[in-house]
Amino acid sequence: MSAKKTALAVLSAALLVPSLLTVPAHASPPAPPADGKGQPQQAPAGPPESMSTVGGALLGKPGVQVNPLAGAPALPATLTGRSWIVADARTGEVLAANNAHWRLPPASTMKMLFADTLLPKLPKDRVHRVTSEELADVGSGSSLVGVKEDLEYSVHDLWLGVFLRSGNDAVHVLSAMNGGIEKTVRDMQAHAEELQALDTHVVSPDGYDAAGQVSSAYDLTLIARSGLQKADFREYCGTSSARFPGRQDGGTREYFEIQNTNRLMTGAGGLSPYKGIAGVKNGNTTMAGSTFTGTAQRGDRQLLVTVMNPSGGLNSVYQETADLLDWGFAAAGKVKPVGELVPPKSADTSSFGSPAQTHDREPAAAGGKEGGRGAALAVAAGALALVAGGSYAFNRRFPAGRRRRPDDELLP
């Protein structure tokens, strides 16, 4: 081959590289680069120009999306969350959103998917003796509820530790009971895809910072809506305080009080409990900043709000969630939806926007759907019942209580 032809071939190959590396709207998100210490770097400063359109074309656009009608209240002027969404929990209508499909680190809000996936698999009265191996891989600096090796815990106790204290130790034990971390990650990924939460890429079941682990405000809201159709999920995320098993001296077991780290529920950190709050999950890590999905009810109206990574102090994620809930209740009937929370794949998916597609996954995040389809069918039936006008059976009263600082979640 002549030198001229060789140069042309090299140039042609170089021109093809960008197109080969382009990530389609529904493909698995690339892992963020490492910062030299084995930790992923912060997400880009701004959202991508093109995002998923699952749930509606407007939800794939960057920036605030809202369609006010006559008399609609203005959105709160002080919102700083990189991504947020306000949705009607019953109808699935998205009332307003900002960068709804931006893939960002989720922190412990990932535990909502963990719970929605595993709750149907593990009987709550099952008792398990914890081994040292089950706690060996809990991430350094993790938030812990205080699970100890060689002691017995019921599944019910462990779920309280997950929801109230965001205990990564409890997550690892429950994952072991499900067949291990790798299987649990596969199960969670399969369930996310069944729910059409296609921005979500699971690496660690507890939400611990990991390269490539992402979700979105849209997905977290979709997952919360699915979880809230399960009575046990509602019970755990709606519990303000509980007694957790401690040390055991002979036949006598000690207990200590644990309180929910959801400040809109307990009023911790100088906040007032939000009227009608019923959960669901908060998180805070170095990579994710503060994240929170909350649900509240007033009269027959049930809202879901997710806020990801606002600026400001430790209370910002709760204050912005409360402001968006207030706006959503005031905006009832005064805004045109900008999209919808789609039903699971196994239900009718004819809806706003482009249909969801399955991600291409790395081997560690791919796998079968053990137990996922049966649970998804139940979720689908619940979702359709909600659209038809059904209601949740939420606990609505939560006593205030003090809280203990977790190690990993930076005072969520």
Side-chain angles (χ1 to χ4, degrees):
M1 182 181 293
S2 68
K4 182 177 181 180
K5 289 183 178 179
T6 301
L8 288 173
V10 171
L11 177 60
S12 298
L15 291 172
L16 284 172
V17 169
S19 63
L20 292 174
L21 295 181
T22 299
V23 180
H26 295 289
S28 177
D35 65 2
K37 299 180 180 180
Q39 294 296 323
Q41 292 178 344
Q42 294 289 344
E49 293 183 3
S50 177
M51 294 175 280
S52 167
T53 59
V54 172
L58 289 177
L59 299 181
K61 295 182 177 181
V64 174
Q65 307 299 323
V66 62
N67 287 327
L69 301 175
L75 281 164
T78 56
L79 298 175
T80 65
R82 303 180 92 187
S83 176
W84 53 259
I85 193 170
V86 184
D88 188 302
R90 293 194 174 121
T91 67
E93 294 176 340
V94 177
L95 307 183
N98 176 47
N99 304 321
H101 281 290
W102 191 2
R103 290 162 171 164
L104 296 168
S108 282
T109 47
M110 181 67 81
K111 290 181 172 78
M112 295 189 297
L113 178 61
F114 173 74
D116 195 39
T117 303
L118 263 64
L119 272 169
K121 299 183 175 191
L122 302 174
K124 64 193 306 182
D125 58 353
R126 179 177 168 186
V127 175
H128 176 77
R129 181 175 290 275
V130 175
T131 68
S132 58
E133 291 77 14
E134 293 166 354
L135 300 175
D137 294 329
V138 176
S140 175
S142 286
S143 53
L144 307 173
V145 67
V147 175
K148 303 298 181 184
E149 63 182 83
D150 295 327
L151 293 180
E152 291 184 342
Y153 299 85
S154 70
V155 168
H156 176 77
D157 292 330
L158 293 169
W159 281 122
L160 287 171
V162 170
F163 277 93
L164 273 66
R165 299 306 306 170
S166 209
N168 290 3
D169 46 358
V171 169
H172 278 245
V173 174
L174 288 166
S175 296
M177 296 174 70
N178 184 56
I181 295 293
E182 291 185 4
K183 179 180 181 298
T184 298
V185 167
R186 292 196 301 269
D187 290 350
M188 290 171 65
Q189 192 66 63
H191 189 51
E193 295 187 6
E194 165 59 24
L195 294 177
Q196 303 202 67
L198 301 182
D199 299 322
T200 299
H201 185 197
V202 185
V203 177
S204 173
D206 50 24
Y208 191 80
D209 284 341
Q213 178 146 276
V214 290
S215 190
S216 66
Y218 182 88
D219 279 15
L220 293 174
T221 307
L222 201 67
I223 292 163
R225 189 183 187 218
S226 173
L228 288 167
Q229 293 168 59
K230 296 176 174 64
D232 286 347
F233 190 105
R234 295 196 301 270
E235 174 194 345
Y236 295 129
C237 79
T239 298
S240 178
S241 63
R243 294 201 319 152
F244 192 81
R247 295 179 300 178
Q248 189 165 1
D249 184 10
T252 303
R253 190 72 181 266
E254 295 183 1
Y255 289 83
F256 57 93
E257 185 179 7
I258 58 174
Q259 279 138 1
N260 203 312
T261 55
N262 177 353
R263 292 186 173 190
L264 289 187
M265 180 179 295
T266 64
L271 294 175
S272 298
Y274 190 84
K275 180 181 179 181
I277 193 73
V280 289
K281 189 69 187 78
N282 56 314
N284 193 311
T285 64
T286 302
M287 282 298 307
S290 295
T291 60
F292 182 59
T293 298
T295 187
Q297 182 164 345
R298 291 184 186 174
D300 60 355
R301 189 170 183 81
Q302 184 82 30
L303 296 180
L304 276 163
V305 168
T306 296
V307 176
M308 301 186 77
N309 200 354
S311 60
L314 296 171
N315 283 335
S316 293
V317 74
Y318 301 105
Q319 292 167 335
E320 295 191 17
T321 297
D323 289 344
L324 286 169
L325 285 168
D326 285 343
W327 176 85
F329 287 121
K334 299 175 183 177
V335 294
K336 181 181 178 181
V338 296
E340 68 171 2
L341 301 178
V342 296
K345 284 184 179 179
S346 53
D348 181 11
T349 57
S350 57
S351 57
F352 296 113
S354 60
Q357 300 174 15
T358 300
H359 285 298
D360 294 323
R361 297 295 182 190
E362 294 85 1
K369 301 186 178 184
E370 299 97 331
R373 184 168 181 82
L377 289 173
V379 169
L384 296 176
L386 289 174
V387 171
S391 61
Y392 294 121
F394 286 121
N395 296 320
R396 301 177 192 172
R397 295 183 181 178
F398 306 97
R402 294 177 303 158
R403 60 180 303 287
R404 174 177 63 86
R405 174 171 181 156
D407 296 326
D408 178 52
E409 301 242 327
L410 305 179
L411 288 173

